[in-house]
Amino acid sequence: MKRRKFIRSTAFGATFISNYGFLHASGNYINTDNLELFCPQTARDIPIIEEVDVLVAGGSAAGVQAAVSASLAGAKVFLICYDPYLGEDICGTYRFWNDVEDLSAPVAKKIFERKGILTPLEVKKLLDDELLENGVEYLYSSYITDLLFDEANKTAGVVIVNRSGRQAIKAKTIIDATPRASLVRMAGTQFTAYPSGKQEFQFIVVGNQPEKMAGLNSKKMLTPVLSGDKKYDAFEVSLEINMADDSYDSFAKAEQILRSAAWDPKQVDSGDVIFQVPPDNMHGTKRLKDDSINIHTVELDVFRPKKEERIYVLGGCADISRNAAKDLLKPANLIALGERIGKAASESAKSIAVLKEVKVPGNNQSNQIKGDVGEILENLRPNLNKGTIPSELDTLPILGNYDVVVIGGGTSGAPAGIGAARHGAKTLVIDYLHGLGGQGTMGLIGVYYHGYKKGFTAEIDKGVIDIGEGFEQKGNREDGWDKNWKMEWFRRQMLNAGGEIWFGCLACGAFVDGNQVKGVVVATPFGRGVVMAHTIIDSTGSADVAIAAGAPYKYTDGNHIAVQGAGLHFYQPDENYKNSDWTFMDDSDVLDVWRSFILAKDKYNDAYDVGKLLQTRERRRIIGDFEVSVLDIYNTRTYPDTISIHESSFDTHGFTVDPFFSLKPPEGASIKVLAYVPFRSLLPRNMEGIIVTGLGVSAHRDAMPVIRMQACIQNQGYAVGYSAALAAAGDFNIRKADIKKVQKYLVQIGNLEEEVLTHKDNYPLPDEKIIHAAETITNNFEGLEILLWHPKKAVPLLQDKFEKEQNSDDKFIYAYILGMMGISDGWKLLSEKIKTYNEWDDGWNYRGMGQFGLSMSLLDSYIIALGKTKEKEAIPVIAEISKKLKTESEFSHFRAVAVAMEEIGNVQGADVVYDLLQLPDVQGYATTTIEEAKKQVDNDPENTNNRNSSLKEIVLARSLFKCGDKNGLGEEILTKYSNDLRGHYYRHASAVLESKKMDVEMEKEKMR
């Protein structure tokens, strides 16, 4: 039998019977008629992103010290961090207090030789700087799923997974700095048995009242937590918890038990994870028999697994006594050991030849169920492409069976889990972070900005206040909330309803049989497996599971580079609202995530901490059974299957691309728009067993500002959870849910208005309304939303009006609208109008926060409309006005010229765009290294300068390339952006370049 790649803890109640394999799982989650079930995974190739001497698994401070020491010793090093920050052993557990005098290791000295209590940001930034300054590559938010083996069946690296997919890193030696030596377990090394029964765990809370912690042992930390002029006492609380086994499920339950026991309304912060000195240890090459440990003299063989000479263990699972392990796990001690192990690993790597014939060996278990694993297998950037390694036919263990599994416990996910569990479904909520509520809690958007606040949202708001038990709420605004109270309310409601929660767990694929999604592939800190479910609710906000399963989707591509602005906040412990918009972030791109977290710590280097959740407003969206458009919203489209009501202004956080807004821009912040969202738009096209909520639903990107408000999405999530419970109880696919039954319940609880029960689809409108709109359109574009909603009927009407209209102003309006619709009848009038401008009017520079109304000038709009007529005779007109642009001219002017020239698509336009790129300081804004990115950092939470510069350059380069290019400049610039750390620029530039390859291939095909 080949090496077992899943450690024991990935199967519920599993017991090792040898170095490899499982006996069988126990508990309620595995069918007792088939005690050991596995999901097949067909053979596939995994992209290689790096080849190194030393791979460090785990982002602890000790892991960082090991990586730095290995690098200083001449090794090429890569570190994988499971969290969105470094220092999990200090920041993750909140163990900022040092009780060790030995600070010999450089990293320990820098961290702990400071006066007063540390802040999380100080530790995280210091560790970032250590790796960057010493040339160590690293990634956040990535889990290790597999070990690589060479032709001699020796470890040769790892496979990691993150929201970008799975990637391979070849490595000669590995330092396993994970808390439970996960990689060593994957390698098949024997461990002592994890003792069943009561085990002690610790958890640190800040601001709580000790007298409220009944049943806990609590120890007040000597130094209070300081935040500005405020002080908060911190307590280490300990509790003995009955552990059935060492499965991930058991640890997840233990975390919830300890959180429930320790929480009270005064809490302002806490550790992300609970802490335990591992009661089990590996069988090492040697064993330390002493009950104490000298970090500087202990033989390193006790940290090397038996028969695994290429792996070192940097943690409490080493072959030492448990008392010695307790002493070792004090952060400063472990850091000192990291210095020694880093050097040793570097030396070991020198004796290993170039790795050849590396692969992920298969493990084809029996008792397989039908289906296959769907996942994303793409490289991170073109310049990181180092080939692929084969992954053989394989199997993944089934971790559990549920009626409903909710992936993502955020704004819609937490309510979805509660909705399902309350209505009898066996429900599991999985979230990568360690708190529920998403942007409203972890993301610190602790207020509603518009939204439909009735129904379940009203229950949430009342419950969050009630949970405070008379304490004053700490919300930053009158309509805000305390983030800790809201996280706790969600958590309690989920558990009280009988649901389960797994924190620190990443969805990384789907188990699919044809078009039926049967389960979700998850990466835990202990390994990878499959959670089976009747219905999967994808509340990741980016449709991660649906896309991995094969669902079609829309996102930044070659069509445009419009995207809502994003940010990452800083905060103090008791803050509940911090909004930001200073960059573009693709939170499904691990390189962009890495960049964003590094820059945020530079940007806010005096803060207490930075967030753990990126504040993104636009993400990947499925192509569903129905797509909500801007015109659906402006025409107040009604549906027979409405699932949620949405209210908001068009808070666009950037520029729009829908032609409607080019003619009639969104109104101001005070003007609310009502939108209904149908159940069909949550269902990925042609897929069964899965439904998507939140920002991942099927909608045009310009429609998202109205339907992304927290209050509305909370209601939507609860409605979907209820629907999923009905589907499970009736054993039917959620697509076949009795929508009228669902709606009646939602009306009963206030989620929907009663009138929704009688709604029918009001599209298309009667002909007389379209005709009337053509009559009124010259009155401030009255009825424009109707005409653009019915283009086939509207165009002939508008053309007729244009031909017959005698009033010059009205005639121009018809020409203008027709032009924006791609009809050339009035192109000459548009040309003449543009000629009347001797200078450019006031344009628009990129603005994120508070962006309402126009994102282009009137002249910009005329130029785009003229370009859409595709009349090449219009090029000289646009060329003439473009000559008046200067480097400092607004972005919207450059974009208008670029869009118009690309629409016309003539080589003459290339000269116009090329000349604009020759203006001083218009080129050179691609950011391909973290060093370049760090140079652009300032402390402005709403910075727009960098985005204006890059947007100006990339839209011109794209247009030049599409017009046929000149001197290869367009392709040269786009190639730089295709390696950009910023995910949206990378996606856009890569897609534009790829379109040329596709055109070439099509031409070759025609010639065959």
Side-chain angles (χ1 to χ4, degrees), residues 330-347:
K330 293 174 180 178
N333 284 344
L334 198 61
I335 293 169
L337 178 64
E339 183 179 24
R340 290 187 64 198
I341 285 181
K343 292 176 183 176
S346 177
E347 286 301 312

Side-chain angles (χ1 to χ4, degrees), residues 47 69 181 392 469 562 566 706 791 820 975 1008:
S69 296
E392 297 178 340
E469 300 174 1
V706 170
M820 201 64 77
T975 299
R1008 289 190 181 123

